[in-house]
Amino acid sequence: MKARLLAATVGLGLAAGQASAQSLDDWTGFYVGGQIGYADVGTSIAGVDGSDAIGGLIAGYDYDFGTWVVGGGVDYDWTNTDLSGAATVEDVWRLKLRAGYKVDDGLIYGVGGYAEASTDTLGSDDGWFVGAGYEHRINSSFSIAAELLYHDFGNFNSTGIDVDATTFQIRAAFRF
C-alpha cells in the first residue's frame, strides 16, 4: 500500500513537472502588458521631424501550432513627439497580426497591420506598419520582448504631408 502511494505521489510530481515544462513551451493564450521605447518621426517637409520617448499598453492572443506561433493584438502608445514646432504626435493605435518561429524559450516574429496616429494640430490619420521582434518566455506567465516597427502615413489627414515613423520598444507581458 505504501509503495503504491509513494509511486502515485512520485508519478503526480513528475506529471506536474512535465505540465510546467510544457506550459512554458506553449504560447497559446491571451496576454496583457506594457511597452516603452523610442520613436523617430519624419515628414516629407524638409526639417520637420522629431524623436521622443513612446510607451503604452499591449493586449492580444497567440495560438501555438508547434514550431510556429500566429497571433493578433492591439497596442496603444502615448508620446509627445514634437515635429519641429509644426505639430506634436500624441498617440498611436495599432491592430497587429504576427507570425513567428519558436527558438528554445523564445519567438522570432514578423508583425504588421493597421495604425492610427493623432497629432495636436493636424488631426489624426490611419496608415500601416511592418516590423520584427523577439519575445522570450521568462516563465509560463511572463515574457519580455524587443520590437522594431516602421510606420507609414501617406498624405496625413489629406494635408499632402507624408509621415513615417520608426519605433523601437521593450515589451513586458503577463500571459494567461
Side-chain angles (χ1 to χ4, degrees), residues 42-45 48 86 122 125 153-163:
T43 71
S44 57
I45 301 173
V48 177
L122 299 175
D125 198 16
F153 302 95
N155 190 18
F156 194 89
N157 201 21
S158 301
T159 60
I161 301 169
D162 295 331
V163 177

Side-chain angles (χ1 to χ4, degrees), residues 102-117:
K102 294 190 320 189
V103 178
D104 295 325
D105 292 335
L107 181 69
I108 297 170
Y109 63 90
V111 62
Y114 168 85
E116 180 184 70

Side-chain angles (χ1 to χ4, degrees), residues 1-172:
M1 178 72 166
K2 286 183 181 179
R4 281 192 228 163
L5 183 58
L6 179 60
T9 303
V10 169
L12 287 175
L14 290 174
Q18 289 172 349
S20 175
Q22 289 170 347
S23 64
L24 183 60
D25 190 46
D26 187 5
W27 290 78
T28 298
F30 290 97
Y31 63 87
V32 296
Q35 60 188 9
I36 189 163
Y38 174 79
D40 183 30
V41 182
T43 71
S44 57
I45 301 173
V48 177
D49 55 12
S51 59
D52 207 339
I54 188 169
L57 303 173
I58 63 172
Y61 182 84
D62 289 322
Y63 189 82
D64 192 324
F65 286 97
T67 56
W68 293 94
V69 175
V70 176
V74 61
D75 296 358
Y76 178 72
D77 284 320
W78 299 274
T79 187
N80 194 25
T81 306
D82 178 47
L83 301 179
S84 306
T88 300
V89 179
E90 296 179 327
D91 57 47
V92 179
W93 281 94
R94 290 178 208 89
L95 292 176
K96 305 174 113 171
L97 293 176
R98 77 175 185 167
Y101 183 77
K102 294 190 320 189
V103 178
D104 295 325
D105 292 335
L107 181 69
I108 297 170
Y109 63 90
V111 62
Y114 168 85
E116 180 184 70
S118 297
T119 68
D120 62 342
T121 59
L122 299 175
S124 63
D125 198 16
D126 56 356
W128 57 269
F129 70 93
V130 295
Y134 174 77
E135 186 168 358
H136 189 82
R137 297 286 294 268
I138 302 301
N139 57 41
S140 61
S141 299
F142 188 73
S143 64
I144 58 172
E147 187 173 86
L148 179 67
L149 302 177
Y150 170 79
H151 305 73
D152 187 283
F153 302 95
N155 190 18
F156 194 89
N157 201 21
S158 301
T159 60
I161 301 169
D162 295 331
V163 177
D164 62 32
T166 302
T167 59
F168 176 77
Q169 297 194 75
I170 302 298
R171 303 161 51 98

